[in-house]
Every structure is written in structure tokens, then in C-alpha cells.
Amino acid sequence: SYDFFVSRFSEMCHSSYEDPDVRTKIRMAGIRGLQGVVRKTVRDELQANIWERQHMDKIVPSLLFNLQDPTDRYGSPGCEKESPAELTERCFRELLGRAAYGNIKNAIKPVLMHLDNHSLWEGKSFAVRCFKIIMYSIQSQHSHLVIQQLLGHLDANSKSSATVRAGIVEVLSEAAVIEASGSVGPTVLEVFNTLLKQLRLSVDYELTGSCDPYSNNMTTTDQERQLQEAVIKTIGSFANTLPIYQRAEVMLFIMGKIPVPGIYPALGSPIAGFEGSRMIQVMLLKSLLQVTERYESSNMLAALPSSFLEPLLSFTLMEDPEIRLLVLSILISLIDRHQNTHKFTFLRSVILSDISVLKLKVDKCSRQDNLFMKKHGQRLYRHIFLTCSEENSGRSHYQALYTLLALLSVELANEEVVVDLIRLALALQDLALANDERLSLYNRCAVHALSAAYLSLISQLTTVPAFCQHIQEVIELRQKEVPYLLPEDIFIENPRVPESLERVEGEVLFQQFQIAEVLGGSGYNIDILNTPFTPQITDEDRLSKRKSIGDTISLQMDMDPRYSPEREQVDCVCSLLSVNGEEQEREKRRLVVERFQTAPFEEIAAHCGAKSSLLQSKLDQIFELTIRPPPSPSGSASQGQTPTRSVPVYEMKFPDLCVY
């Protein structure tokens, strides 16, 4: 047994002798002693003993104590002797490198306890250094065990101070990045699940001001905000190390955690309430933006599947302007596959007469891109139009919308899409002219400026001379007479907004008939351009646009038309009340999917078996009704006798010779 040696050498590692030189020598001797014990036991029949908890609880803290000791007697420049910290690091790496699969937990747990007991998470630097040593020293196939230990420790410290939680999150970030470069294993979604859970808890703590309602463990908004930023940063740094297919899974996973209007009526936690739900939506969208910033996919159908795009677009209709801006940023980062976004930054505030100076990267639209726009194009146009009509949209929203329209033109545009986008830009001009009471004077000017900036860009991309000439003439006339309809006067910090827009008519507007004529002469199909753009608000859009608790109550009237003589009046009432039976149907489908995903196999099998037996009984009843007794020779059954039951064909017993 090496119990005595482990205890004695560990004691020497903690020596507090008065003479610093002697103290350093004693500690160095203790470290070498522990190193010798580890080396000896590896080839000894007692090797299993060294990894037992009582030994690791002595060895690991002794090494960490010397690893963090600021007194480096031999570590000064020009000194050839090895310092205690350097020797400790070598010994620590050697110990971890020898750890087998079953020993990792006993080696890591003392590290976590040491950092807890000495409040070393808050300093961050030492904890990060420790786990970098651990991750680079252990065998790569065991690295996911360290991640699991850290995740469990983060959960265990859910009620600790925000600084402690932030320290653990930062360590987890560094460790997860190292682990992802080796064997990822099954811990990918577990990492994100734990981090998203911490975001939700942080929202509750920020709103209540306490980490634990049963203790005096108070917290502040600043501390929780720092933690939230650390979690979001960790989500992004870890996601960027994953392969493309796993990042797509992570995006869907995060989207599934965001409270979506109409699908999850109870948003957030009961503690947080409505404000907490909004904060959770914002932070999860920020996390999603971190994941998508470096996401590059040649196939837009794979990057933006319906299961991801539909709930994402539903957020463009929410009242919160921050949420809408985050959604636009996510769409921009996913659609931009040739890093063109930064080239449009200058165009957000200025219209260029020659965009060739931007050196835009434009590739021919692929078959998958064409399929994507056929499937989702109209949905995108509708949401862009509806976002422009929001009364609390600001300069950043219109600039983001311009970038999104520009990227659609550069990345995903064929001739059909080009015509659709021009039609959308003209519809935006009509929106600004409609004098909608919801839109302020600034909003109407901004929509005019957005339409002008985009038509200038698309006209130069299509390279139709007459189209470019018309757009340029209108812009030049606006610069002289109505400059407040251009980005230069509107998309600035102090916009120059006029008192009214009464003079906006005639030649300062882009003419739909003239644009259709020149495009038709160049071979474009202009049939759709002559059709007014009227976006239809779908049921999902209505669910997304909720302004009050009263709007969240959907009425469902289940009426039989046979007992409804005044059906026309009922239909009128139903339309006025926005009756939406699909909401309950969608909820039923969600519950069925959730049941088949989470229920035990035996329960699912029993449920399906019960349904099949019910079906069989119904079939038997139907057969019983359809099979009639054989006719009597006299034409009627004998009086007082029960007619005999005819035997169904499927129940008849045939002789073997009759069966083929």
C-alpha cells in the first residue's frame, strides 16, 4: 500500500516553512515524490489503488496548490532551475495522461472541488488554465467525459453567484472547443441544452434579483447580463467548431427552444412572466445569430428548411423591434454565402451610380436555389413588406431590409425572382404613398428611400439600359426637389424629415407601367409585374401579431350547419371574431408528435394495438350489417322462427382439396 507515501508527499507539497528556499525545496521534493508514486503504481499490481478517491483527493489538490502558487523561487529569468509550477504542470500532465476511461471522474472531481473551495472560478484565468492542461493531457477519446463533468457542475451551481456561473461557462467554452476538434461524441446537444437552461435561469434571477428565494444569495442585473453574454459567446464559439451538418442540427435545436407565438402559448417560465419571455426570445435569437454568423451552405433548402424558416419569420411580425432586427440579421447571415454583406454597408446610406466598384461576387443561381425561391420566395416577400409597415421600425431595420433585398438579388435571383423583387419595391412605394395612419412621416420617407436604393441596385444588376436610365432620372430629380425620399437625408443620425409629403407625385415616383414596358422589351415576363402586390396575412401571421392577453384567446365555434338556419350571419360573426380552428388542430398534432418522441415503447405499442383492435371491431360490425340471411324458399321466414344467420365467406371452412 502507498497510502503513507501519498499522505506524506502531499503534506510536503503544502509546506509552509519559514525559509522560502527551504520551503521551495520541500515542496519540490513532495511533487517529485508524488510523481514517483504515480510512475511506480502504473506498473505495480496495486495500480488501481492510486485512482481511488481518497488518493486523488490528496494528490490533485496538492498539485493545483503548487500550480497556482505565485512564489516562483526558481522561475525568475536567467535561472536554469525548474520552478515548482513547471514541475507541477509536468507531473499533472503525466498523471492525466495515464488515466483510463474509468478513472477520469475521480481525477476531475477534486479539481472542481478545489476551484470551488478556493473561489477560483471568479478569477477565470487559473480555472481556464487548469482545464486546458486537462483537455490537452488526457486521451482524446475520453475528452467528452470532462465536458460531462463540467456540465453537471454547472447544473449543480445553478443557484451560485453570477460570477461563479460565468467562470464555469468560460471554462466550458474553452474545454468544449478543444473537445470538438477531437471526438465530439453525443455531448453536442447536451452542451447547448445546459447553456440554454442557464440563460432561462439567468432571466429569472435578473427579474427577481435573487438566485435562491430561500436564501440571501442576491444578484444584480449587471452580473446576470455579463453571464448571459458569456453564455451566448460560448454557444457561438462552440458551434463554430462543429461541421456544417451538426450546426444545422444546433440551429433547429435552438429554434425549438424559443417560445414561438401560437405554438407555445405559455411563453417562458411562470416566474419571469411576459417580460421574461421577451428577454428569453431576444437571448435565444442572439445565440442563434452567433451560430449562423459563420454558417456557409451551398444548398439554401438545407440551410433554411421549412421547420426552421417558418417559426423564424413569425418573429418578423412581433411588436418588439429588437426581435425583428435580430431575425433580419439571422436571415442575412444565412443567405450571404459570398461575404457580400459588408459591401452593402456603404450603400445603406448612399446610392451609387456605378456599383461595379463594389466588386460583388455573383454566381449563377443553382437548381436548389431556384427550388428554394419557388417554395419560400412569396413568404419572404410578404414578411419583408409587413416588416416595412411596422410603426416602430427604425433606421437599422430599413438598412437591414435593404441588405436582405440586395442579398436576395445577388445570391438567389433568376429572371422570375428579379421581377418579383421589382414588384415588391414598387409595392413598398405604394405603401409609403397610402398615407397609412400607423406609419409616421419618418417611416414613410424611409420606405421611399429603401425602395429607391433597392431599385437603383437591381436596375444595375439587370443591366437593362432603359430601366437604369429611368431609375437614375427619378433619383436625380429627387435629389433636386425631394431629397428626403433618398437614403442620404433619411438614413442618418439626424434625418431631415419634411413637414408633409403632399408634393410626392408625378415624376419623382418610379412608374410601374414604364418599368414594365422596358423590362418586357428585354425579354422579361412582366405578367406578374402588372398584378398588384397584396400580401395575405395567414393564420400564423395572426398568431404572431399578438398585442395583448386578450388577443391570445382564440375562439373556436364548433357548429353543425344542419342546425344553423342563419348560416350566413354565423359565418360573418366567425370572420369578425377571427375564429381559428387550426390552432387547436396544430396543438393536437404537436401533442401527438411529443407523445411518440417521449413515451416508452411499451406504451406506444399498447396504444397502437388498442387502435387496431378498435378498427377490427368496427369492421366486424360493418360486415355484420352488410351480410343478410339467405332468402327463404317461400319468400319469407317461417312464423315464430328466428332467421338463420348467413356465414360470411371469410369464416367458411373449406376442405383442403378446394383450397388453391
Side-chain angles (χ1 to χ4, degrees):
S1 175
Y2 294 94
D3 294 4
F4 168 76
F5 293 104
V6 171
S7 299
R8 187 61 176 154
F9 290 142
S10 297
E11 184 182 347
M12 293 169 68
C13 288
H14 288 86
S15 173
S16 56
Y17 198 82
E18 293 182 2
D19 189 335
D21 290 328
V22 175
R23 182 172 66 239
T24 300
K25 290 179 181 179
I26 294 174
R27 290 185 181 181
M28 294 276 283
I31 296 166
R32 289 196 183 97
L34 291 176
Q35 188 179 34
V37 169
V38 172
R39 289 177 177 177
K40 180 75 171 64
T41 53
V42 166
R43 295 179 178 86
D44 196 288
E45 61 182 7
L46 299 173
Q47 61 162 328
N49 291 346
I50 198 67
W51 299 106
E52 289 180 0
R53 183 174 176 180
Q54 65 266 27
H55 297 314
M56 286 291 106
D57 286 348
K58 295 176 184 176
I59 294 173
V60 173
S62 300
L63 296 176
L64 295 178
F65 175 76
N66 285 277
L67 193 63
Q68 74 179 96
D69 188 13
T71 60
D72 242 47
R73 297 293 299 166
Y74 301 140
S76 56
C79 184
E80 296 180 358
K81 290 185 178 181
E82 192 175 35
S83 69
E86 292 171 344
L87 177 61
T88 300
E89 185 173 335
R90 277 201 303 112
C91 182
F92 194 34
R93 289 182 182 276
E94 189 175 338
L95 173 70
L96 295 166
R98 297 176 186 273
Y101 182 86
N103 302 326
I104 295 292
K105 184 176 180 180
N106 286 345
I108 301 302
K109 193 165 184 179
V111 178
L112 300 173
M113 298 302 295
H114 183 82
L115 296 173
D116 283 344
N117 295 335
H118 296 276
S119 303
L120 296 173
W121 294 111
E122 300 175 16
K124 298 180 185 178
S125 57
F126 179 72
V128 169
R129 181 188 173 196
C130 279
F131 275 90
K132 279 188 174 182
I133 293 173
I134 292 170
M135 295 302 293
Y136 283 118
S137 300
I138 62 173
Q139 300 174 45
S140 59
Q141 66 268 29
H142 301 158
S143 56
H144 67 277
L145 295 174
V146 180
I147 302 297
Q148 288 176 343
Q149 290 280 96
L150 278 168
L151 291 172
H153 199 66
L154 182 58
D155 277 336
N157 282 272
S158 293
K159 295 183 179 180
S160 299
S161 66
T163 52
V164 170
R165 283 178 280 135
I168 301 174
V169 167
E170 184 162 338
V171 171
L172 183 61
S173 170
E174 298 286 345
V177 169
I178 297 169
E179 191 252 355
S181 60
S183 61
V184 177
T187 57
V188 175
L189 294 182
E190 189 180 351
V191 171
F192 289 102
N193 193 36
T194 301
L195 292 173
L196 296 180
K197 177 183 174 183
Q198 291 300 318
L199 275 180
R200 288 179 175 271
L201 288 174
S202 180
V203 169
D204 292 343
Y205 297 160
E206 180 181 346
L207 293 174
T208 59
S210 174
C211 299
D212 188 356
Y214 301 104
S215 66
N216 293 325
N217 192 2
M218 308 303 291
T219 186
T220 64
T221 300
D222 291 340
Q223 290 175 339
E224 294 299 334
R225 291 285 169 88
Q226 290 175 5
L227 169 67
Q228 292 157 15
E229 290 175 5
V231 172
I232 293 171
K233 176 186 172 185
T234 300
I235 289 173
S237 61
F238 182 49
N240 290 333
T241 64
L242 300 176
I244 294 295
Y245 75 93
Q246 278 193 322
R247 260 185 272 184
E249 291 178 3
V250 170
M251 286 161 50
L252 283 170
F253 180 76
I254 296 176
M255 178 57 70
K257 295 289 184 180
I258 303 177
V260 180
I263 299 178
Y264 302 105
L267 304 181
S269 67
I271 299 176
F274 179 78
E275 175 61 19
S277 301
R278 189 199 70 82
M279 291 170 64
I280 290 170
Q281 288 174 333
V282 168
M283 283 185 288
L284 293 184
L285 286 171
K286 284 182 178 179
S287 303
L288 195 57
L289 180 60
Q290 287 283 324
V291 177
T292 59
E293 277 185 343
R294 297 185 188 177
Y295 181 80
E296 295 178 6
S297 175
S298 57
N299 187 351
M300 289 307 299
L301 282 171
L304 285 168
S306 298
S307 56
F308 178 81
L309 185 62
E310 289 179 11
L312 181 66
L313 287 177
S314 69
F315 287 104
T316 61
L317 302 177
M318 296 197 70
E319 284 194 325
D320 193 307
E322 186 179 5
I323 290 177
R324 296 203 305 273
L325 187 59
L326 283 169
V327 173
L328 293 174
S329 301
I330 291 169
L331 287 171
I332 288 169
S333 63
L334 286 171
I335 293 174
D336 184 17
R337 294 170 293 181
H338 297 88
Q339 288 74 48
N340 286 316
T341 299
H342 69 280
K343 298 177 182 178
F344 296 122
T345 305
F346 179 71
L347 293 182
R348 292 173 176 176
S349 303
V350 176
I351 294 179
L352 285 180
S353 58
D354 183 11
I355 62 168
S356 61
V357 297
L358 299 177
K359 298 180 180 180
L360 296 171
K361 296 179 183 178
V362 183
D363 285 345
K364 187 177 180 181
C365 229
S366 66
R367 180 174 173 272
Q368 289 87 354
D369 292 342
N370 290 333
L371 288 174
F372 174 81
M373 291 306 292
K374 280 186 178 179
K375 186 176 182 181
H376 300 296
Q378 295 302 321
R379 187 189 302 272
L380 284 168
Y381 308 148
R382 183 175 77 247
H383 282 272
I384 289 172
F385 183 89
L386 295 174
T387 304
C388 283
S389 61
E390 293 288 343
E391 60 267 27
N392 59 355
S393 292
R395 179 182 63 171
S396 54
H397 293 85
Y398 293 111
Q399 290 177 332
L401 285 165
Y402 171 79
T403 304
L404 179 58
L405 287 168
L407 287 172
L408 287 174
S409 307
V410 173
E411 296 281 351
L412 301 169
N414 52 30
E415 287 191 5
E416 182 181 345
V417 173
V418 166
V419 174
D420 281 335
L421 289 169
I422 293 172
R423 175 172 171 245
L424 174 61
L426 293 172
L428 292 177
Q429 178 178 262
D430 293 339
L431 171 68
L433 290 171
N435 196 15
D436 192 335
E437 293 181 359
R438 293 180 306 164
L439 292 179
S440 66
L441 204 58
Y442 171 80
N443 289 98
R444 293 170 61 196
C445 291
V447 173
H448 273 299
L450 169 63
S451 178
Y454 177 67
L455 285 173
S456 173
L457 174 71
I458 195 69
S459 66
Q460 295 181 61
L461 289 174
T462 54
T463 63
V464 178
F467 183 27
C468 294
Q469 182 181 356
H470 171 66
I471 300 300
Q472 193 60 34
E473 287 175 356
V474 173
I475 289 174
E476 289 176 357
L477 190 61
R478 284 189 179 188
Q479 289 172 342
K480 295 176 182 177
E481 298 184 6
V482 284
Y484 44 80
L485 301 187
L486 295 174
E488 289 85 348
D489 275 33
I490 293 299
F491 296 155
I492 54 178
E493 287 191 12
N494 298 311
R496 293 183 277 273
V497 182
E499 295 182 359
S500 67
L501 291 178
E502 294 178 359
R503 291 189 299 155
V504 180
E505 57 185 3
E507 295 181 349
V508 297
L509 297 176
F510 302 102
Q511 302 300 323
Q512 182 267 337
F513 71 91
Q514 192 169 343
I515 293 174
E517 183 180 349
V518 296
L519 289 178
S522 299
Y524 285 86
N525 184 1
I526 59 170
D527 292 341
I528 188 68
L529 196 60
N530 294 323
T531 307
F533 182 84
T534 53
Q536 298 295 324
I537 299 180
T538 63
D539 292 334
E540 287 79 6
D541 297 338
R542 291 192 188 98
L543 289 170
S544 302
K545 192 61 181 173
R546 289 177 169 174
K547 300 183 179 181
S548 66
I549 297 176
D551 293 335
T552 65
I553 302 172
S554 65
L555 303 177
Q556 182 179 10
M557 299 176 67
D558 190 8
M559 304 182 70
D560 191 337
R562 292 175 298 177
Y563 303 102
S564 174
E566 301 174 348
R567 185 174 178 182
E568 292 183 0
Q569 296 180 13
V570 171
D571 289 341
C572 180
V573 172
C574 289
S575 63
L576 289 174
L577 293 175
S578 300
V579 177
N580 185 19
E582 291 185 8
E583 183 176 6
Q584 287 193 358
E585 190 64 30
R586 189 162 44 249
E587 179 67 17
K588 288 180 182 177
R589 288 199 298 268
R590 189 185 69 80
L591 292 174
V592 170
V593 172
E594 184 179 343
R595 179 179 185 177
F596 275 85
Q597 287 177 340
T598 59
F601 174 75
E602 293 78 6
E603 182 182 335
I604 296 174
H607 176 69
C608 295
K611 290 182 69 175
S612 64
S613 60
L614 178 63
L615 175 63
Q616 184 62 46
S617 66
K618 293 294 182 185
L619 286 172
D620 290 342
Q621 292 177 18
I622 293 170
F623 289 141
E624 191 71 29
L625 291 172
T626 56
I627 296 171
R628 295 286 183 262
S632 171
S634 62
S636 61
S638 300
Q639 190 173 4
Q641 294 182 354
T642 305
T644 57
R645 176 181 176 273
S646 177
V647 179
V649 175
Y650 60 86
E651 288 185 4
M652 288 182 180
K653 303 295 183 183
F654 292 95
D656 292 342
L657 291 176
C658 296
V659 179
Y660 174 70

